[in-house]
Amino acid sequence: MSNRLPRDRWTEILVSLPVKSLLRFQCVCKSWKSLISSPRFISMHTQHSESTGNYTHILHCSRDYETPYKLLHIDGSFNEFQQLGYPCQFRGRYYEVLDCKGLILFTTDNESHILWNPVIRISLTIPRPRIAAAENKYCVHGFGFDHTSNDYKVLRMVQDIYSLFPVLQVEIYRLHTGAWETFTGADDFLYRIVPNTQAFVNGASHWLGYLKREHMLSDASPKRVVVLFDMCDEQFRVMELPDNISLGWVKALLGVSGGLLSLMEYNDGRQDVNMSCSIWLMKEYGVAESWTKQFTIDLKGWRFGEIFCFRNSEKILAWNRKNGRESVLYDPKTHRFINIGDLGIKAKDYLLSKNTFVESLVLLDKVNSTQTCQICLWKGKWCDSKKRR
């Protein structure tokens, strides 16, 4: 590294560069590679990308039996996109896809877990969990970032399907340690967690849940709540929903919109006619009274649809089973639906990962520096790293 500028100044310059440039600069000299692949630099770069709004969008399409998984990497304008190759083939059926701060977590029904950074095209296979999900049990996953320890964490929860008391078995995988640890703080947990994709916001994973015991002991519908797990202090908590949503079996999904916890509430449209969806936001985190309805969308008679907010609420992404599972964008300002296919993007099949995504170098420090030169990895080639200065 040049002596004309101090190391801190070089670090400040490099942190502001895009990932693709940094992958090239690793091959300039050993000191640059050491700097760029260091955990401290990776953390600084991720924070800079988030603070400057350096986002892209990820649409993950589930595979059929003949073609592998596909991932579309789309910029904010939707004028360009890149189809990225999937890191490996799963053995088992798809279960969940979660993402957080530049990493994507894939899980399957045969207990496979893979962390993948699609920007630098590096994946990490997680060891098999300790707790088995036997018959009549189901798993719910959480994936998030602990800013106090600068660590990514995977939460795996196993619950009985038919038991009166919803016994919860929990284990946590920490990227820094590379191992699963049994979590003992859920012994008195009485809520049934609805198996659906998490909403990660304010450092916590959120799911819908209800008190299973009350529902089983009476004819009344259970009261629904938001169950959350804080990735920093590793504690479960419960938050209230709006009164007209907390009771009954109205279909609802949690999401994140503009950094706020959001809720998609569906009406009881019979025979798929006049089905609509209302978008709610929790304006003040943790305050039940701050839930505010933003608008209601007429779903145009779709057989089935799921709405996901992203890109600071500028557009809302939806998919349905009509017309070969075509995906659409809804513009809340004009109340218009925009077919993604009309934008030149071929994104049929299920869209699984739909959150705003930030480019990062996370997992770069997990690569053996004696094996791979990252600029060659980007181009899909291998080289002898000893040739570098």
Side-chain angles (χ1 to χ4, degrees), residues 55-57 73-82 311 345:
Y55 291 102
T56 57
H57 297 302
H73 181 195
I74 306 175
D75 71 358
S77 66
F78 291 97
N79 292 326
E80 297 179 0
F81 75 99
Q82 178 184 1
R311 190 155 175 82
I345 302 171

Side-chain angles (χ1 to χ4, degrees), residues 109-286:
D109 57 358
N110 67 353
E111 308 301 338
S112 296
H113 298 76
I114 291 181
L115 290 174
W116 182 38
N117 185 331
V119 179
I120 62 175
R121 307 187 185 189
I122 292 176
S123 61
L124 174 68
T125 300
I126 296 177
R128 292 188 67 83
R130 297 180 178 183
I131 301 173
E135 187 177 358
N136 296 330
K137 295 180 182 290
Y138 69 93
C139 292
V140 179
H141 289 85
F143 179 48
F145 182 76
D146 177 2
H147 65 85
T148 61
S149 62
N150 193 33
D151 195 12
Y152 289 82
K153 298 179 180 179
V154 178
L155 184 74
R156 182 173 177 269
M157 299 169 285
V158 180
Q159 282 193 300
D160 296 324
I161 297 177
Y162 302 111
S163 65
L164 180 61
F165 298 92
V167 177
L168 183 67
Q169 296 176 289
V170 183
E171 56 187 336
I172 300 176
Y173 173 86
R174 298 177 179 87
L175 184 58
H176 280 179
T177 62
W180 290 98
E181 296 180 20
T182 303
F183 179 72
T184 59
D187 296 338
D188 58 348
F189 191 82
L190 300 178
Y191 288 89
R192 172 77 66 196
I193 297 176
V194 178
N196 208 316
T197 302
Q198 70 166 7
F200 186 77
V201 64
N202 205 45
S205 297
H206 301 73
W207 309 268
L208 291 175
Y210 58 92
L211 196 58
K212 178 71 172 180
R213 180 176 56 185
E214 288 184 355
H215 172 54
M216 296 292 289
L217 295 178
S218 68
D219 295 331
S221 299
K223 182 177 180 180
R224 291 189 297 184
V225 295
V226 175
V227 177
L228 68 93
F229 180 82
D230 192 303
M231 289 291 174
C232 297
D233 62 18
E234 298 186 353
Q235 295 294 321
F236 282 99
R237 296 185 178 87
V238 173
M239 294 194 305
E240 299 294 324
L241 288 168
D243 291 338
N244 59 324
I245 299 178
S246 62
L247 296 176
W249 290 108
V250 177
K251 180 178 174 61
L253 294 169
L254 290 177
V256 180
S257 177
L260 300 177
L261 187 64
S262 65
L263 179 75
M264 285 67 76
E265 172 203 5
Y266 293 84
N267 72 354
D268 296 324
R270 298 181 179 180
Q271 297 180 351
D272 305 315
V273 177
N274 298 324
M275 189 174 183
S276 63
C277 175
S278 297
I279 307 297
W280 295 70
L281 291 181
M282 180 177 259
K283 293 298 187 67
E284 185 176 352
Y285 183 77

Side-chain angles (χ1 to χ4, degrees), residues 25-27 29-38 364 367-370 372-374 388:
F25 291 164
Q26 281 195 114
C27 296
C29 60
K30 289 183 178 180
S31 59
W32 278 27
K33 175 173 175 54
S34 176
L35 171 64
I36 294 171
S37 61
S38 66
L364 186 60
V367 176
N368 189 334
S369 61
T370 63
T372 309
C373 174
Q374 290 305 311
R388 286 173 287 151

Side-chain angles (χ1 to χ4, degrees), residues 42-101:
I42 292 173
S43 177
M44 291 174 60
H45 183 268
T46 303
Q47 293 176 14
H48 181 272
S49 296
E50 289 185 309
S51 64
T52 57
N54 181 20
Y55 291 102
T56 57
H57 297 302
I58 298 295
L59 307 180
H60 181 272
C61 305
S62 70
R63 65 173 182 174
D64 56 31
Y65 291 103
E66 297 180 356
T67 59
Y69 283 95
K70 292 182 293 185
L71 191 71
L72 300 181
H73 181 195
I74 306 175
D75 71 358
S77 66
F78 291 97
N79 292 326
E80 297 179 0
F81 75 99
Q82 178 184 1
Q83 182 171 313
L84 301 177
Y86 189 67
C88 62
Q89 295 294 331
F90 270 140
R91 294 182 179 179
R93 298 182 61 185
Y94 154 80
Y95 185 65
E96 275 187 290
V97 179
L98 304 175
D99 62 90
C100 176
K101 293 172 72 72

